[in-house]
Amino acid sequence: MTTPRTLFQKVWDDHVVVPETADTPAVLFIDLHLTHEVTTPQAYTELRNRGLKLRRPDLTLATMDHSTPTRTEQVFGGVPIAVDSAAKQVKQLEINAQEFGVELFNLQDSRRGIVHIIGPELGLTQPGKTIVCGDSHTSTHGAFGALAFGIGTTEVGHVLATQCLLQRKPKTFAINVVNHLPAGVTAKDLILAIIGKIGVSGGTGYVLEYRGAAIEAMSMDERMTICNMSIEAGARAGMIAPDATTFEYLKATPRAPKGADWEKAVARWSRLPTDAGAVFDRSVEIDAASLVPMVTYGTHPGMVAPVTGSVPASGDAVFEKALKYMGLAAGQVISDVPVQNVFVGSCTNGRLSDLRKAANVLRGHKLASGVKMLVVPGSQSVKRAAEAEGLDQVFKAAGAEWRESGCSMCLGMNGDLVPAGHYSVSTSNRNFEGRQGQGARTLLASPETAAASAIRGRVTDPREFTH
Amino acid sequence: MPAVTQIRSRTVALPAANIDTDQIIPARFLTATSKAGFGKHLFADWRYDGDGNPKPDFALNKPEAKGAAILVAGRNLGCGSSREHAPWALQDFGFAAVISTEFADIFRTNCLKNGLLPVLVDEKTHAWLLANPNVELNIDVASTTLTLPDGTAVKFPLEGFAKYCLLNGVDELGFLLSKGDSIAAYESAHL
Ligand code: SF4
């Protein structure tokens, strides 16, 4: 009998070109290289300087998402991109894609969107693949049972030139989520609770595998929300075993295998889940049934509390500094925190089901006075689907702005910024100092909590709006 | 990449834990398309006030920090974004090594790819270095040893291949390209 293996181990084994030794890391083959404008220009310069070609254009895809505008008149109306350097960066991606023969979804392409939204949408993200991108939230794609992780620009160059990476094998960490999430508690709340439990560096050196009843019951959108934030626990990758839910999602996508190839692929993918008896290097158990909606109150995603709770106390100087930045004090009731800004979007919660959930809370309500709300679909395809359902009308009727797709206020590279000192309930993944703008105070939460907070003008438990 | 064998310099300390790459180099500076010039934006929001003037109480702005090539930082340095602009900014500013008790995975990899040496130390050494900023240290890559001012030698871990690359200025892309035959064989077996 062969040794039982984890999902991670199987995908790793399938991609070893040259095994690792004591002296050298493994050469690992990469099945899909996703790229965007921010982390690639210097890699293409390197290729050019060395006279190298792109080895596998057929396994490479480029989109623009980080520094692109979200105002319709800037995307489609010919109004130039406001920030000069951003305009240049977008232009440079066009030049590089053309020169090296990479398929590019440019600014006006109907398939464009945040890199981690479009990979799955197209069906390029598949179980058992190795997927990389010069972007830490590449972990998102692990929701399909792929081994997907972020890399730096030097490594982007390695993959462009050789379709391979030098890697030491990481360890494995099972996150066992037992029981089911109560009504009104979401995937975002669960991942925030997991990060709160294992800490922002608890996953460093590991690949996480999320397992258990609550995970199995999730839709692909929810699983992507979970895997997306693996990096916020320090893990480069998070994975979920592929199952019928995965296959059903992929079947409808344009670039998934078709016909006889589909049957073969499903048979192959069905062998990927972790074998009974496989050993993880570490494991932790979380009881989903005990959770409530969660929100962060500090300057890293591990500083998280129940929306029904209060800001905890700590004697730690770094903790105090974070609270000072946030303008909060220990003991303060979370639901008393005022809110001036709400952002719904990002690769964490910018998919159609996320927009539906926010709209369901908002329908028939208005934003509280003084609240600005920005809704930014994760891709142009999400945008079209949302408009077909009339979700844009719900947001606009409530007083929110409805934009073209992109990273937008998740990191504010394109000028979509939260003013200094403002509290921003955001469905994105990072609440670092200045992430959404200099001095901006970010509270991470689910789309439901974001929408409920927009209505009340303070942090609000969305279960108050359950109809 | 130029070889890195020895670093002898004074330290500067930023004791905060979890310093993320958004602090090291804020996103608004990432629109550049070359690797040069990020040093002036290093820790921009901690280093400058709203008018762009250096904040005198920030460690890197203090006169004694001038010329220091070793940064001692709190636990979990470099968490967050995969932006390689973070090590580029640190190097462009003048840092040759970073010391902490824990580094984020992608950041550590990015540092090594650029010859910025991540030195992982134990809690005790770390606490001493944070309590005693602006001391002269010697870091020797071949023996993976950090020598404190009193002569105490502290070993640090460094993966064999990474060490080999640093000491010999080996370019990893060159190494990968030399595996072209194996890659081609893998590709034809996995069509
Ligand atoms: S939405 Fe935010 S986290 Fe996701 S890829 Fe864009 S900037 Fe990164």
Side-chain angles (χ1 to χ4, degrees):
Chain A
M1 232 196 82
T2 51
T3 322
R5 293 183 298 165
T6 60
L7 164 63
F8 159 75
Q9 183 74 52
K10 293 180 192 185
V11 182
W12 174 273
D13 290 346
D14 281 347
H15 292 86
V16 173
V17 174
V18 181
E20 64 180 332
T21 67
D23 294 333
T24 51
V27 176
L28 196 71
F29 192 79
I30 302 302
D31 293 322
L32 176 63
H33 188 191
L34 301 167
T35 65
H36 61 68
E37 74 277 25
V38 182
T39 54
T40 54
Q42 297 86 352
Y44 282 112
T45 303
E46 187 71 18
L47 257 62
R48 229 175 251 123
N49 290 344
R50 292 169 172 244
L52 294 169
K53 282 205 193 54
L54 176 60
R55 186 178 179 97
R56 295 294 299 268
D58 58 320
L59 303 181
T60 313
L61 178 72
T63 188
M64 31 184 83
D65 49 10
H66 282 67
S67 48
T68 51
T70 52
R71 288 184 189 281
T72 304
E73 59 275 22
Q74 283 181 304
V75 176
F76 294 107
V79 178
I81 296 179
V83 185
D84 197 38
S85 55
K88 277 206 192 105
Q89 191 171 59
V90 163
K91 183 78 203 149
Q92 190 59 46
L93 181 63
E94 286 173 353
I95 294 168
N96 292 338
Q98 168 89 38
E99 181 180 334
F100 288 87
V102 179
E103 180 180 22
L104 167 69
F105 296 162
N106 67 18
L107 192 56
Q108 300 187 347
D109 196 299
S110 63
R111 298 161 298 180
R112 190 184 62 81
I114 302 172
V115 66
H116 311 307
I117 304 265
I118 64 171
E121 217 168 63
L122 291 165
L124 284 172
T125 301
Q126 292 166 17
K129 276 191 180 183
T130 45
I131 302 176
V132 298
C133 173
D135 195 287
S136 61
H137 290 100
T138 309
S139 59
T140 312
H141 307 264
F144 291 78
L147 173 60
F149 54 91
I151 55 178
T153 298
T154 300
E155 291 187 312
V156 167
H158 292 178
V159 180
L160 291 174
T162 68
Q163 202 59 32
C164 288
L165 278 176
L166 288 167
Q167 291 287 303
R168 284 285 176 198
K169 194 169 80 173
K171 291 177 285 185
T172 53
F173 189 165
I175 311 284
N176 297 311
V177 188
V178 298
N179 299 320
H180 288 276
L181 289 170
V185 183
T186 70
K188 182 64 164 285
D189 303 312
L190 172 60
I191 188 62
L192 286 171
I194 291 171
I195 297 163
K197 181 166 175 122
I198 71 173
V200 289
S201 63
T204 302
Y206 293 94
V207 168
L208 310 182
E209 184 183 325
Y210 303 95
R211 303 157 58 79
I215 302 292
E216 286 161 24
M218 283 181 183
S219 69
M220 290 316 295
D221 283 9
E222 293 169 314
R223 293 179 190 184
M224 284 189 261
T225 299
I226 298 283
C227 288
N228 174 273
M229 290 190 74
S230 302
I231 183 68
E232 265 61 64
R236 282 177 86 175
M239 302 175 82
I240 293 174
D243 60 9
T245 307
T246 321
F247 307 151
E248 193 188 307
Y249 176 104
L250 282 173
K251 192 153 201 192
T253 60
R255 299 200 191 180
K258 302 287 175 223
D261 287 344
W262 169 259
E263 300 304 329
K264 270 195 255 167
V266 170
R268 204 171 60 240
W269 298 340
S270 303
R271 292 194 290 270
L272 288 169
T274 294
D275 299 326
V279 178
F280 290 88
D281 294 298
R282 203 184 148 193
S283 64
V284 72
E285 189 172 291
I286 310 262
D287 181 8
S290 70
L291 297 180
V292 298
M294 305 293 282
V295 58
T296 65
Y297 56 83
T299 56
H300 67 63
M303 297 176 78
V304 63
V307 69
T308 50
S310 50
V311 177
S314 155
D316 181 63
V318 179
F319 186 92
E320 294 304 328
K321 180 173 169 274
L323 288 194
K324 187 164 173 240
Y325 177 87
M326 293 299 292
L328 297 174
Q332 198 163 340
V333 173
I334 300 268
S335 59
D336 284 346
V337 178
V339 173
Q340 295 88 23
N341 187 87
V342 172
F343 173 60
V344 173
S346 89
C347 58
T348 312
N349 285 121
R351 284 168 285 268
L352 181 61
S353 59
D354 298 311
L355 302 188
R356 276 187 196 140
K357 287 168 184 164
N360 283 345
V361 174
L362 266 188
R363 193 170 280 117
H365 293 281
K366 292 265 182 227
L367 304 189
S369 82
V371 172
K372 273 197 65 170
M373 179 172 180
L374 196 62
V375 185
V376 181
S379 71
Q380 294 304 100
S381 146
V382 168
K383 179 168 188 267
R384 282 190 303 278
E387 287 172 352
E389 293 181 13
L391 302 184
D392 58 323
Q393 296 307 323
V394 177
F395 292 122
K396 286 183 198 163
E401 283 188 66
W402 176 249
R403 297 281 185 91
E404 303 296 331
S405 71
C407 297
S408 180
M409 209 174 256
C410 173
L411 90 168
M413 259 190 90
N414 71 338
D416 293 343
L417 293 164
V418 176
H422 281 206
Y423 287 102
S424 170
V425 177
S426 175
T427 67
S428 54
N429 43 51
R430 287 188 175 139
N431 51 348
F432 299 151
E433 281 182 33
R435 172 79 178 184
Q436 296 193 289
Q438 285 175 267
R441 294 162 164 171
T442 302
L443 298 98
L444 302 174
S446 69
E448 290 90 328
T449 303
S453 303
I455 298 167
R456 292 273 162 82
R458 55 176 177 76
V459 178
T460 300
D461 185 339
R463 294 172 300 181
E464 292 175 27
F465 288 87
T466 315
H467 309 292
Chain B
M1 190 176 79
V4 181
T5 54
Q6 205 156 70
I7 298 157
R8 190 174 186 88
S9 169
R10 269 177 307 108
T11 60
V12 57
L14 289 176
N18 306 312
I19 296 177
D20 57 80
T21 53
D22 272 83
Q23 306 316 315
I24 299 175
I25 182 84
R28 63 185 182 279
F29 303 115
L30 303 188
T31 51
T33 52
S34 90
K35 292 184 190 178
F38 288 108
K40 59 179 176 292
H41 305 306
L42 178 72
F43 292 113
D45 293 341
W46 289 357
R47 225 167 114 198
Y48 306 109
D49 64 19
D51 302 322
N53 300 312
K55 294 183 189 170
D57 58 340
F58 182 59
L60 267 56
N61 291 334
K62 294 187 178 163
E64 60 271 27
K66 210 169 160 48
I70 302 173
L71 174 68
V72 185
R75 181 175 48 78
N76 195 26
L77 176 63
C79 59
S81 155
S82 66
R83 59 189 71 168
E84 199 163 314
H85 312 66
W88 295 338
L90 287 162
Q91 272 186 319
D92 189 52
F93 183 83
F95 288 114
V98 285
I99 300 181
S100 186
T101 47
E102 190 174 23
F103 297 100
D105 281 334
I106 306 178
F107 176 73
R108 186 175 42 82
T109 304
N110 286 341
C111 286
L112 287 167
K113 301 278 187 254
N114 289 278
L116 175 65
L117 184 66
V119 179
L120 195 78
V121 294
D122 59 90
E123 299 277 352
K124 195 172 146 238
T125 307
H126 189 240
W128 188 88
L129 288 170
L130 289 180
N132 298 277
N134 313 116
V135 293
E136 181 97 4
L137 299 181
N138 189 56
I139 304 172
D140 184 66
V141 178
S143 62
T144 56
T145 312
L146 168 81
T147 309
L148 301 176
D150 68 355
T152 310
V154 182
K155 293 284 274 182
F156 60 89
L158 188 60
E159 193 265 320
F161 186 71
K163 177 170 151 182
Y164 169 79
C165 291
L166 285 170
L167 284 174
N168 299 288
V170 168
D171 151 45
E172 290 191 16
L173 179 52
F175 179 85
L176 267 173
L177 288 164
S178 76
K179 303 290 176 195
D181 289 348
S182 303
I183 300 171
Y186 179 94
E187 285 174 323
S188 44
H190 294 80
L191 282 179

